[in-house]
PDB file of all heavy atoms in Angstrom:
ATOM      1  N   ILE Y  40      -1.823  -8.859 101.976  1.00  0.00           N
ATOM      2  CA  ILE Y  40      -1.661  -9.397 103.335  1.00  0.00           C
ATOM      3  C   ILE Y  40      -1.070  -8.258 104.194  1.00  0.00           C
ATOM      4  O   ILE Y  40       0.047  -7.875 103.987  1.00  0.00           O
ATOM      5  CB  ILE Y  40      -0.782 -10.599 103.334  1.00  0.00           C
ATOM      6  CG1 ILE Y  40      -1.418 -11.669 102.474  1.00  0.00           C
ATOM      7  CG2 ILE Y  40      -0.565 -11.202 104.750  1.00  0.00           C
ATOM      8  CD1 ILE Y  40      -0.588 -12.882 102.156  1.00  0.00           C
ATOM      9  N   GLY Y  41      -1.880  -7.816 105.206  1.00  0.00           N
ATOM     10  CA  GLY Y  41      -1.307  -6.719 106.107  1.00  0.00           C
ATOM     11  C   GLY Y  41      -2.084  -5.450 105.964  1.00  0.00           C
ATOM     12  O   GLY Y  41      -2.097  -4.857 104.836  1.00  0.00           O
ATOM     13  N   GLY Y  43      -1.290  -2.571 107.491  1.00  0.00           N
ATOM     14  CA  GLY Y  43      -0.488  -1.465 107.933  1.00  0.00           C
ATOM     15  C   GLY Y  43      -0.583  -0.398 106.971  1.00  0.00           C
ATOM     16  O   GLY Y  43      -1.396  -0.449 105.956  1.00  0.00           O
ATOM     17  N   ILE Y  44       0.258   0.611 107.047  1.00  0.00           N
ATOM     18  CA  ILE Y  44       0.178   1.699 106.077  1.00  0.00           C
ATOM     19  C   ILE Y  44       0.618   1.273 104.709  1.00  0.00           C
ATOM     20  O   ILE Y  44       0.151   1.876 103.647  1.00  0.00           O
ATOM     21  CB  ILE Y  44       1.003   2.954 106.586  1.00  0.00           C
ATOM     22  CG1 ILE Y  44       0.631   4.238 105.883  1.00  0.00           C
ATOM     23  CG2 ILE Y  44       2.512   2.710 106.459  1.00  0.00           C
ATOM     24  CD1 ILE Y  44       1.066   5.504 106.592  1.00  0.00           C
ATOM     25  N   GLN Y  45       1.523   0.319 104.594  1.00  0.00           N
ATOM     26  CA  GLN Y  45       1.987  -0.141 103.339  1.00  0.00           C
ATOM     27  C   GLN Y  45       0.886  -0.932 102.574  1.00  0.00           C
ATOM     28  O   GLN Y  45       0.588  -0.686 101.389  1.00  0.00           O
ATOM     29  CB  GLN Y  45       3.294  -0.922 103.432  1.00  0.00           C
ATOM     30  CG  GLN Y  45       4.508  -0.061 103.758  1.00  0.00           C
ATOM     31  CD  GLN Y  45       4.885   0.782 102.528  1.00  0.00           C
ATOM     32  OE1 GLN Y  45       4.631   0.441 101.457  1.00  0.00           O
ATOM     33  NE2 GLN Y  45       5.537   1.847 102.781  1.00  0.00           N
ATOM     34  N   LEU Y  69      -6.164  -8.755 104.138  1.00  0.00           N
ATOM     35  CA  LEU Y  69      -6.210  -9.792 105.123  1.00  0.00           C
ATOM     36  C   LEU Y  69      -5.350  -9.275 106.248  1.00  0.00           C
ATOM     37  O   LEU Y  69      -4.125  -9.111 106.090  1.00  0.00           O
ATOM     38  CB  LEU Y  69      -5.707 -11.128 104.620  1.00  0.00           C
ATOM     39  CG  LEU Y  69      -5.552 -12.306 105.624  1.00  0.00           C
ATOM     40  CD1 LEU Y  69      -6.883 -12.660 106.190  1.00  0.00           C
ATOM     41  CD2 LEU Y  69      -4.912 -13.525 104.978  1.00  0.00           C
ATOM     42  N   GLU Y  70      -5.960  -9.092 107.416  1.00  0.00           N
ATOM     43  CA  GLU Y  70      -5.136  -8.567 108.627  1.00  0.00           C
ATOM     44  C   GLU Y  70      -5.274  -9.427 109.833  1.00  0.00           C
ATOM     45  O   GLU Y  70      -6.411  -9.793 110.226  1.00  0.00           O
ATOM     46  CB  GLU Y  70      -5.639  -7.106 108.879  1.00  0.00           C
ATOM     47  CG  GLU Y  70      -5.190  -6.520 110.215  1.00  0.00           C
ATOM     48  CD  GLU Y  70      -3.753  -6.531 110.465  1.00  0.00           C
ATOM     49  OE1 GLU Y  70      -2.868  -6.121 109.541  1.00  0.00           O
ATOM     50  OE2 GLU Y  70      -3.200  -6.955 111.566  1.00  0.00           O
ATOM     51  N   SER Y  71      -4.135  -9.745 110.401  1.00  0.00           N
ATOM     52  CA  SER Y  71      -4.112 -10.677 111.481  1.00  0.00           C
ATOM     53  C   SER Y  71      -4.625 -10.053 112.940  1.00  0.00           C
ATOM     54  O   SER Y  71      -5.224 -10.770 113.615  1.00  0.00           O
ATOM     55  CB  SER Y  71      -2.670 -11.102 111.632  1.00  0.00           C
ATOM     56  OG  SER Y  71      -2.348 -11.623 112.890  1.00  0.00           O
ATOM     57  N   GLN Y  72      -4.320  -8.771 113.134  1.00  0.00           N
ATOM     58  CA  GLN Y  72      -4.547  -8.227 114.469  1.00  0.00           C
ATOM     59  C   GLN Y  72      -5.599  -7.100 114.373  1.00  0.00           C
ATOM     60  O   GLN Y  72      -6.774  -7.295 114.751  1.00  0.00           O
ATOM     61  CB  GLN Y  72      -3.247  -7.634 115.074  1.00  0.00           C
ATOM     62  CG  GLN Y  72      -2.075  -8.633 115.062  1.00  0.00           C
ATOM     63  CD  GLN Y  72      -2.301  -9.780 116.006  1.00  0.00           C
ATOM     64  OE1 GLN Y  72      -2.739  -9.598 117.102  1.00  0.00           O
ATOM     65  NE2 GLN Y  72      -2.104 -10.983 115.480  1.00  0.00           N
ATOM     66  N   ALA Y  73      -5.266  -5.916 113.922  1.00  0.00           N
ATOM     67  CA  ALA Y  73      -6.205  -4.776 113.717  1.00  0.00           C
ATOM     68  C   ALA Y  73      -5.586  -3.844 112.770  1.00  0.00           C
ATOM     69  O   ALA Y  73      -4.346  -3.849 112.601  1.00  0.00           O
ATOM     70  CB  ALA Y  73      -6.430  -4.105 115.062  1.00  0.00           C
ATOM     71  N   SER Y  76      -2.274  -1.641 113.603  1.00  0.00           N
ATOM     72  CA  SER Y  76      -2.006  -2.067 114.989  1.00  0.00           C
ATOM     73  C   SER Y  76      -0.514  -2.038 115.337  1.00  0.00           C
ATOM     74  O   SER Y  76      -0.138  -2.000 116.522  1.00  0.00           O
ATOM     75  CB  SER Y  76      -2.609  -3.418 115.212  1.00  0.00           C
ATOM     76  OG  SER Y  76      -2.062  -4.387 114.363  1.00  0.00           O
ATOM     77  N   ALA Y  77       0.337  -2.160 114.376  1.00  0.00           N
ATOM     78  CA  ALA Y  77       1.728  -2.259 114.603  1.00  0.00           C
ATOM     79  C   ALA Y  77       2.471  -0.933 114.296  1.00  0.00           C
ATOM     80  O   ALA Y  77       1.911   0.124 114.722  1.00  0.00           O
ATOM     81  CB  ALA Y  77       2.267  -3.358 113.738  1.00  0.00           C
ATOM     82  N   ALA Y  78       3.605  -0.904 113.658  1.00  0.00           N
ATOM     83  CA  ALA Y  78       4.405   0.330 113.506  1.00  0.00           C
ATOM     84  C   ALA Y  78       3.509   1.419 112.724  1.00  0.00           C
ATOM     85  O   ALA Y  78       3.757   2.632 113.066  1.00  0.00           O
ATOM     86  CB  ALA Y  78       5.676   0.060 112.703  1.00  0.00           C
ATOM     87  N   SER Y  79       2.646   1.031 111.959  1.00  0.00           N
ATOM     88  CA  SER Y  79       1.835   1.987 111.168  1.00  0.00           C
ATOM     89  C   SER Y  79       0.827   2.715 112.022  1.00  0.00           C
ATOM     90  O   SER Y  79       0.302   3.767 111.609  1.00  0.00           O
ATOM     91  CB  SER Y  79       1.132   1.335 110.061  1.00  0.00           C
ATOM     92  OG  SER Y  79       2.050   0.652 109.225  1.00  0.00           O
ATOM     93  N   GLY Y  82       4.198   4.593 114.836  1.00  0.00           N
ATOM     94  CA  GLY Y  82       5.390   5.293 114.327  1.00  0.00           C
ATOM     95  C   GLY Y  82       5.166   6.855 114.377  1.00  0.00           C
ATOM     96  O   GLY Y  82       4.071   7.311 114.617  1.00  0.00           O
ATOM     97  N   GLY Y  83       6.226   7.585 114.074  1.00  0.00           N
ATOM     98  CA  GLY Y  83       6.173   9.090 114.210  1.00  0.00           C
ATOM     99  C   GLY Y  83       5.376   9.723 113.238  1.00  0.00           C
ATOM    100  O   GLY Y  83       4.606  10.660 113.446  1.00  0.00           O
ATOM    101  N   GLY Y  84       5.565   9.406 111.877  1.00  0.00           N
ATOM    102  CA  GLY Y  84       4.820  10.029 110.832  1.00  0.00           C
ATOM    103  C   GLY Y  84       5.523  11.223 110.248  1.00  0.00           C
ATOM    104  O   GLY Y  84       4.904  12.087 109.487  1.00  0.00           O
ATOM    105  N   PHE Y  85       6.823  11.286 110.403  1.00  0.00           N
ATOM    106  CA  PHE Y  85       7.609  12.420 109.902  1.00  0.00           C
ATOM    107  C   PHE Y  85       7.985  12.041 108.395  1.00  0.00           C
ATOM    108  O   PHE Y  85       8.265  10.865 108.085  1.00  0.00           O
ATOM    109  CB  PHE Y  85       8.919  12.545 110.735  1.00  0.00           C
ATOM    110  CG  PHE Y  85       9.790  13.637 110.150  1.00  0.00           C
ATOM    111  CD1 PHE Y  85       9.478  14.920 110.263  1.00  0.00           C
ATOM    112  CD2 PHE Y  85      11.005  13.277 109.564  1.00  0.00           C
ATOM    113  CE1 PHE Y  85      10.296  15.994 109.733  1.00  0.00           C
ATOM    114  CE2 PHE Y  85      11.863  14.315 108.997  1.00  0.00           C
ATOM    115  CZ  PHE Y  85      11.515  15.639 109.133  1.00  0.00           C
ATOM    116  N   GLY Y 205      -7.823 -12.187 109.916  1.00  0.00           N
ATOM    117  CA  GLY Y 205      -7.332 -13.579 109.946  1.00  0.00           C
ATOM    118  C   GLY Y 205      -5.826 -13.556 109.680  1.00  0.00           C
ATOM    119  O   GLY Y 205      -5.288 -12.479 109.206  1.00  0.00           O
ATOM    120  N   THR Y 206      -5.157 -14.636 110.022  1.00  0.00           N
ATOM    121  CA  THR Y 206      -3.733 -14.693 109.852  1.00  0.00           C
ATOM    122  C   THR Y 206      -3.276 -15.577 108.667  1.00  0.00           C
ATOM    123  O   THR Y 206      -3.663 -16.761 108.663  1.00  0.00           O
ATOM    124  CB  THR Y 206      -3.069 -15.219 111.214  1.00  0.00           C
ATOM    125  OG1 THR Y 206      -3.530 -14.372 112.275  1.00  0.00           O
ATOM    126  CG2 THR Y 206      -1.552 -15.183 111.119  1.00  0.00           C
ATOM    127  N   CYS Y 207      -2.636 -14.957 107.711  1.00  0.00           N
ATOM    128  CA  CYS Y 207      -2.209 -15.778 106.536  1.00  0.00           C
ATOM    129  C   CYS Y 207      -1.265 -16.917 106.939  1.00  0.00           C
ATOM    130  O   CYS Y 207      -0.341 -16.650 107.785  1.00  0.00           O
ATOM    131  CB  CYS Y 207      -1.508 -14.858 105.565  1.00  0.00           C
ATOM    132  SG  CYS Y 207      -0.926 -15.760 104.146  1.00  0.00           S
ATOM    133  N   ALA Y 244       3.257  -7.392 104.999  1.00  0.00           N
ATOM    134  CA  ALA Y 244       2.993  -7.697 106.400  1.00  0.00           C
ATOM    135  C   ALA Y 244       4.149  -7.183 107.315  1.00  0.00           C
ATOM    136  O   ALA Y 244       4.445  -7.870 108.323  1.00  0.00           O
ATOM    137  CB  ALA Y 244       2.773  -9.254 106.661  1.00  0.00           C
ATOM    138  N   GLY Y 245       4.765  -6.091 106.946  1.00  0.00           N
ATOM    139  CA  GLY Y 245       5.773  -5.428 107.788  1.00  0.00           C
ATOM    140  C   GLY Y 245       6.896  -6.375 107.991  1.00  0.00           C
ATOM    141  O   GLY Y 245       7.323  -7.179 107.136  1.00  0.00           O
ATOM    142  N   PRO Y 246       7.462  -6.453 109.282  1.00  0.00           N
ATOM    143  CA  PRO Y 246       8.608  -7.300 109.546  1.00  0.00           C
ATOM    144  C   PRO Y 246       8.295  -8.819 109.331  1.00  0.00           C
ATOM    145  O   PRO Y 246       9.178  -9.616 109.079  1.00  0.00           O
ATOM    146  CB  PRO Y 246       8.953  -7.013 110.955  1.00  0.00           C
ATOM    147  CG  PRO Y 246       7.794  -6.245 111.552  1.00  0.00           C
ATOM    148  CD  PRO Y 246       7.133  -5.596 110.375  1.00  0.00           C
ATOM    149  N   TRP Y 247       6.996  -9.102 109.572  1.00  0.00           N
ATOM    150  CA  TRP Y 247       6.627 -10.537 109.446  1.00  0.00           C
ATOM    151  C   TRP Y 247       6.495 -11.061 108.042  1.00  0.00           C
ATOM    152  O   TRP Y 247       6.182 -12.170 107.794  1.00  0.00           O
ATOM    153  CB  TRP Y 247       5.334 -10.779 110.275  1.00  0.00           C
ATOM    154  CG  TRP Y 247       5.442 -10.272 111.721  1.00  0.00           C
ATOM    155  CD1 TRP Y 247       5.927 -11.032 112.696  1.00  0.00           C
ATOM    156  CD2 TRP Y 247       4.983  -9.013 112.194  1.00  0.00           C
ATOM    157  NE1 TRP Y 247       5.924 -10.207 113.824  1.00  0.00           N
ATOM    158  CE2 TRP Y 247       5.382  -9.104 113.561  1.00  0.00           C
ATOM    159  CE3 TRP Y 247       4.377  -7.924 111.706  1.00  0.00           C
ATOM    160  CZ2 TRP Y 247       5.079  -7.985 114.406  1.00  0.00           C
ATOM    161  CZ3 TRP Y 247       4.072  -6.810 112.512  1.00  0.00           C
ATOM    162  CH2 TRP Y 247       4.465  -6.895 113.836  1.00  0.00           C
ATOM    163  N   TRP Y 254       5.894 -19.532 102.542  1.00  0.00           N
ATOM    164  CA  TRP Y 254       4.662 -19.510 101.671  1.00  0.00           C
ATOM    165  C   TRP Y 254       4.958 -19.765 100.215  1.00  0.00           C
ATOM    166  O   TRP Y 254       4.257 -20.355  99.472  1.00  0.00           O
ATOM    167  CB  TRP Y 254       3.870 -18.225 101.832  1.00  0.00           C
ATOM    168  CG  TRP Y 254       3.422 -17.922 103.264  1.00  0.00           C
ATOM    169  CD1 TRP Y 254       3.343 -18.787 104.285  1.00  0.00           C
ATOM    170  CD2 TRP Y 254       3.096 -16.607 103.757  1.00  0.00           C
ATOM    171  NE1 TRP Y 254       2.907 -18.110 105.441  1.00  0.00           N
ATOM    172  CE2 TRP Y 254       2.772 -16.790 105.141  1.00  0.00           C
ATOM    173  CE3 TRP Y 254       3.034 -15.343 103.219  1.00  0.00           C
ATOM    174  CZ2 TRP Y 254       2.398 -15.690 105.931  1.00  0.00           C
ATOM    175  CZ3 TRP Y 254       2.593 -14.261 104.064  1.00  0.00           C
ATOM    176  CH2 TRP Y 254       2.331 -14.470 105.410  1.00  0.00           C
ATOM    177  N   TYR Y 314       4.660  13.502 120.377  1.00  0.00           N
ATOM    178  CA  TYR Y 314       5.156  12.158 120.160  1.00  0.00           C
ATOM    179  C   TYR Y 314       6.640  12.149 120.219  1.00  0.00           C
ATOM    180  O   TYR Y 314       7.337  12.954 119.645  1.00  0.00           O
ATOM    181  CB  TYR Y 314       4.668  11.671 118.802  1.00  0.00           C
ATOM    182  CG  TYR Y 314       5.223  10.328 118.412  1.00  0.00           C
ATOM    183  CD1 TYR Y 314       4.491   9.121 118.561  1.00  0.00           C
ATOM    184  CD2 TYR Y 314       6.501  10.202 117.818  1.00  0.00           C
ATOM    185  CE1 TYR Y 314       4.986   7.913 118.168  1.00  0.00           C
ATOM    186  CE2 TYR Y 314       6.978   8.995 117.454  1.00  0.00           C
ATOM    187  CZ  TYR Y 314       6.311   7.854 117.638  1.00  0.00           C
ATOM    188  OH  TYR Y 314       6.814   6.592 117.271  1.00  0.00           O
ATOM    189  N   LEU Y 335       4.063 -10.181 117.383  1.00  0.00           N
ATOM    190  CA  LEU Y 335       2.854  -9.867 116.436  1.00  0.00           C
ATOM    191  C   LEU Y 335       1.627  -9.509 117.269  1.00  0.00           C
ATOM    192  O   LEU Y 335       1.021  -8.503 116.982  1.00  0.00           O
ATOM    193  CB  LEU Y 335       2.633 -11.047 115.540  1.00  0.00           C
ATOM    194  CG  LEU Y 335       1.407 -10.962 114.584  1.00  0.00           C
ATOM    195  CD1 LEU Y 335       1.584  -9.791 113.652  1.00  0.00           C
ATOM    196  CD2 LEU Y 335       1.201 -12.185 113.715  1.00  0.00           C
ATOM    197  N   CYS Y 371       6.911  -0.681 119.003  1.00  0.00           N
ATOM    198  CA  CYS Y 371       6.657  -1.257 117.734  1.00  0.00           C
ATOM    199  C   CYS Y 371       7.962  -1.584 117.042  1.00  0.00           C
ATOM    200  O   CYS Y 371       9.014  -1.186 117.489  1.00  0.00           O
ATOM    201  CB  CYS Y 371       5.743  -0.413 116.846  1.00  0.00           C
ATOM    202  SG  CYS Y 371       6.469   1.181 116.512  1.00  0.00           S
ATOM    203  N   ARG Y 373      10.336  -1.631 113.467  1.00  0.00           N
ATOM    204  CA  ARG Y 373      10.490  -1.288 112.041  1.00  0.00           C
ATOM    205  C   ARG Y 373      11.124  -2.422 111.324  1.00  0.00           C
ATOM    206  O   ARG Y 373      12.039  -3.055 111.823  1.00  0.00           O
ATOM    207  CB  ARG Y 373      11.226  -0.020 111.857  1.00  0.00           C
ATOM    208  CG  ARG Y 373      12.681   0.052 112.243  1.00  0.00           C
ATOM    209  CD  ARG Y 373      13.141   1.534 112.174  1.00  0.00           C
ATOM    210  NE  ARG Y 373      14.295   1.679 113.024  1.00  0.00           N
ATOM    211  CZ  ARG Y 373      15.586   1.507 112.669  1.00  0.00           C
ATOM    212  NH1 ARG Y 373      15.807   1.057 111.502  1.00  0.00           N
ATOM    213  NH2 ARG Y 373      16.517   1.633 113.565  1.00  0.00           N
ATOM    214  N   PRO Y 374      10.677  -2.700 110.085  1.00  0.00           N
ATOM    215  CA  PRO Y 374      11.138  -3.828 109.327  1.00  0.00           C
ATOM    216  C   PRO Y 374      12.384  -3.486 108.518  1.00  0.00           C
ATOM    217  O   PRO Y 374      12.430  -2.650 107.645  1.00  0.00           O
ATOM    218  CB  PRO Y 374       9.975  -4.137 108.420  1.00  0.00           C
ATOM    219  CG  PRO Y 374       9.233  -2.751 108.203  1.00  0.00           C
ATOM    220  CD  PRO Y 374       9.683  -1.908 109.395  1.00  0.00           C
ATOM    221  N   ASN Y 399      11.778  -0.100 106.521  1.00  0.00           N
ATOM    222  CA  ASN Y 399      12.680   0.416 107.576  1.00  0.00           C
ATOM    223  C   ASN Y 399      12.148   1.677 108.173  1.00  0.00           C
ATOM    224  O   ASN Y 399      10.930   1.681 108.594  1.00  0.00           O
ATOM    225  CB  ASN Y 399      14.019   0.675 106.814  1.00  0.00           C
ATOM    226  CG  ASN Y 399      15.152   0.921 107.803  1.00  0.00           C
ATOM    227  OD1 ASN Y 399      15.041   0.725 108.979  1.00  0.00           O
ATOM    228  ND2 ASN Y 399      16.248   1.334 107.293  1.00  0.00           N
ATOM    229  N   CYS Y 400      12.907   2.815 108.381  1.00  0.00           N
ATOM    230  CA  CYS Y 400      12.465   3.838 109.120  1.00  0.00           C
ATOM    231  C   CYS Y 400      11.692   4.948 108.285  1.00  0.00           C
ATOM    232  O   CYS Y 400      11.429   6.006 108.703  1.00  0.00           O
ATOM    233  CB  CYS Y 400      13.610   4.575 109.832  1.00  0.00           C
ATOM    234  SG  CYS Y 400      14.959   4.973 108.713  1.00  0.00           S
ATOM    235  N   TRP Y 401      11.364   4.579 106.999  1.00  0.00           N
ATOM    236  CA  TRP Y 401      10.663   5.568 106.176  1.00  0.00           C
ATOM    237  C   TRP Y 401       9.355   4.934 105.604  1.00  0.00           C
ATOM    238  O   TRP Y 401       8.851   5.416 104.579  1.00  0.00           O
ATOM    239  CB  TRP Y 401      11.531   6.001 105.012  1.00  0.00           C
ATOM    240  CG  TRP Y 401      12.697   6.951 105.425  1.00  0.00           C
ATOM    241  CD1 TRP Y 401      13.992   6.648 105.441  1.00  0.00           C
ATOM    242  CD2 TRP Y 401      12.572   8.273 105.950  1.00  0.00           C
ATOM    243  NE1 TRP Y 401      14.714   7.711 105.874  1.00  0.00           N
ATOM    244  CE2 TRP Y 401      13.879   8.793 106.198  1.00  0.00           C
ATOM    245  CE3 TRP Y 401      11.469   9.086 106.208  1.00  0.00           C
ATOM    246  CZ2 TRP Y 401      14.118  10.006 106.774  1.00  0.00           C
ATOM    247  CZ3 TRP Y 401      11.735  10.333 106.756  1.00  0.00           C
ATOM    248  CH2 TRP Y 401      13.044  10.816 107.024  1.00  0.00           C
ATOM    249  N   GLY Y 402       8.840   3.929 106.255  1.00  0.00           N
ATOM    250  CA  GLY Y 402       7.702   3.205 105.683  1.00  0.00           C
ATOM    251  C   GLY Y 402       6.435   4.092 105.658  1.00  0.00           C
ATOM    252  O   GLY Y 402       5.462   3.835 104.921  1.00  0.00           O
ATOM    253  N   ILE Y 403       6.360   5.078 106.534  1.00  0.00           N
ATOM    254  CA  ILE Y 403       5.225   6.065 106.552  1.00  0.00           C
ATOM    255  C   ILE Y 403       5.408   7.072 105.376  1.00  0.00           C
ATOM    256  O   ILE Y 403       4.587   7.257 104.560  1.00  0.00           O
ATOM    257  CB  ILE Y 403       5.019   6.716 107.907  1.00  0.00           C
ATOM    258  CG1 ILE Y 403       4.739   5.637 108.945  1.00  0.00           C
ATOM    259  CG2 ILE Y 403       3.979   7.781 107.802  1.00  0.00           C
ATOM    260  CD1 ILE Y 403       4.923   6.075 110.384  1.00  0.00           C
ATOM    261  N   ALA Y 404       6.600   7.669 105.354  1.00  0.00           N
ATOM    262  CA  ALA Y 404       6.830   8.712 104.362  1.00  0.00           C
ATOM    263  C   ALA Y 404       6.713   8.174 102.932  1.00  0.00           C
ATOM    264  O   ALA Y 404       6.272   8.885 101.985  1.00  0.00           O
ATOM    265  CB  ALA Y 404       8.223   9.281 104.592  1.00  0.00           C
TER     266      ALA Y 404
HETATM  267  C1  FAD B 501       9.395   4.066 116.829  1.00  0.00           C
HETATM  268  C2  FAD B 501       9.193   4.090 115.329  1.00  0.00           C
HETATM  269  C3  FAD B 501       9.033   5.397 114.730  1.00  0.00           C
HETATM  270  C4  FAD B 501       8.863   5.510 113.363  1.00  0.00           C
HETATM  271  N1  FAD B 501       8.727   6.772 112.807  1.00  0.00           N
HETATM  272  C5  FAD B 501       8.632   6.932 111.489  1.00  0.00           C
HETATM  273  C6  FAD B 501       8.481   8.180 110.812  1.00  0.00           C
HETATM  274  O1  FAD B 501       8.483   9.182 111.484  1.00  0.00           O
HETATM  275  N2  FAD B 501       8.370   8.262 109.469  1.00  0.00           N
HETATM  276  C7  FAD B 501       8.376   7.145 108.704  1.00  0.00           C
HETATM  277  O2  FAD B 501       8.311   7.266 107.482  1.00  0.00           O
HETATM  278  N3  FAD B 501       8.526   5.953 109.276  1.00  0.00           N
HETATM  279  C8  FAD B 501       8.638   5.792 110.603  1.00  0.00           C
HETATM  280  N4  FAD B 501       8.747   4.526 111.126  1.00  0.00           N
HETATM  281  C9  FAD B 501       8.797   3.349 110.246  1.00  0.00           C
HETATM  282  C10 FAD B 501       7.335   2.953 109.895  1.00  0.00           C
HETATM  283  O3  FAD B 501       6.628   2.949 110.975  1.00  0.00           O
HETATM  284  C11 FAD B 501       7.309   1.546 109.259  1.00  0.00           C
HETATM  285  O4  FAD B 501       8.252   1.460 108.218  1.00  0.00           O
HETATM  286  C12 FAD B 501       5.931   1.277 108.666  1.00  0.00           C
HETATM  287  O5  FAD B 501       4.940   1.505 109.554  1.00  0.00           O
HETATM  288  C13 FAD B 501       5.841  -0.159 108.169  1.00  0.00           C
HETATM  289  O6  FAD B 501       4.559  -0.330 107.667  1.00  0.00           O
HETATM  290  P1  FAD B 501       4.037  -1.779 107.212  1.00  0.00           P
HETATM  291  O7  FAD B 501       2.655  -1.558 106.748  1.00  0.00           O
HETATM  292  O8  FAD B 501       4.996  -2.290 106.186  1.00  0.00           O
HETATM  293  O9  FAD B 501       4.180  -2.696 108.443  1.00  0.00           O
HETATM  294  P2  FAD B 501       3.286  -2.755 109.855  1.00  0.00           P
HETATM  295  O10 FAD B 501       2.838  -1.463 110.247  1.00  0.00           O
HETATM  296  O11 FAD B 501       4.144  -3.639 110.703  1.00  0.00           O
HETATM  297  O12 FAD B 501       2.026  -3.607 109.408  1.00  0.00           O
HETATM  298  C14 FAD B 501       2.064  -4.979 109.117  1.00  0.00           C
HETATM  299  C15 FAD B 501       0.743  -5.553 109.332  1.00  0.00           C
HETATM  300  O13 FAD B 501       0.703  -6.881 108.926  1.00  0.00           O
HETATM  301  C16 FAD B 501      -0.072  -7.647 109.763  1.00  0.00           C
HETATM  302  N5  FAD B 501       0.353  -9.019 109.627  1.00  0.00           N
HETATM  303  C17 FAD B 501       1.597  -9.588 110.018  1.00  0.00           C
HETATM  304  N6  FAD B 501       1.649 -10.891 109.737  1.00  0.00           N
HETATM  305  C18 FAD B 501       0.397 -11.216 109.095  1.00  0.00           C
HETATM  306  C19 FAD B 501      -0.206 -12.446 108.626  1.00  0.00           C
HETATM  307  N7  FAD B 501       0.467 -13.668 108.656  1.00  0.00           N
HETATM  308  N8  FAD B 501      -1.491 -12.355 108.150  1.00  0.00           N
HETATM  309  C20 FAD B 501      -2.182 -11.183 108.103  1.00  0.00           C
HETATM  310  N9  FAD B 501      -1.601 -10.027 108.626  1.00  0.00           N
HETATM  311  C21 FAD B 501      -0.357 -10.001 109.057  1.00  0.00           C
HETATM  312  C22 FAD B 501       0.252  -7.031 111.160  1.00  0.00           C
HETATM  313  O14 FAD B 501      -0.691  -7.405 112.082  1.00  0.00           O
HETATM  314  C23 FAD B 501       0.341  -5.600 110.806  1.00  0.00           C
HETATM  315  O15 FAD B 501      -0.912  -4.944 110.958  1.00  0.00           O
HETATM  316  C24 FAD B 501       8.923   4.352 112.501  1.00  0.00           C
HETATM  317  C25 FAD B 501       9.101   3.123 113.142  1.00  0.00           C
HETATM  318  C26 FAD B 501       9.224   3.002 114.485  1.00  0.00           C
HETATM  319  C27 FAD B 501       9.381   1.613 115.089  1.00  0.00           C
END
Side-chain angles (χ1 to χ4, degrees):
I40 300 169
I44 198 163
Q45 285 290 335
L69 176 63
E70 166 56 46
S71 160
Q72 306 297 311
S76 56
S79 302
F85 177 73
T206 304
C207 178
W247 302 280
W254 302 340
Y314 173 96
L335 176 61
C371 60
R373 68 186 155 89
N399 195 11
C400 54
W401 289 113
I403 298 164

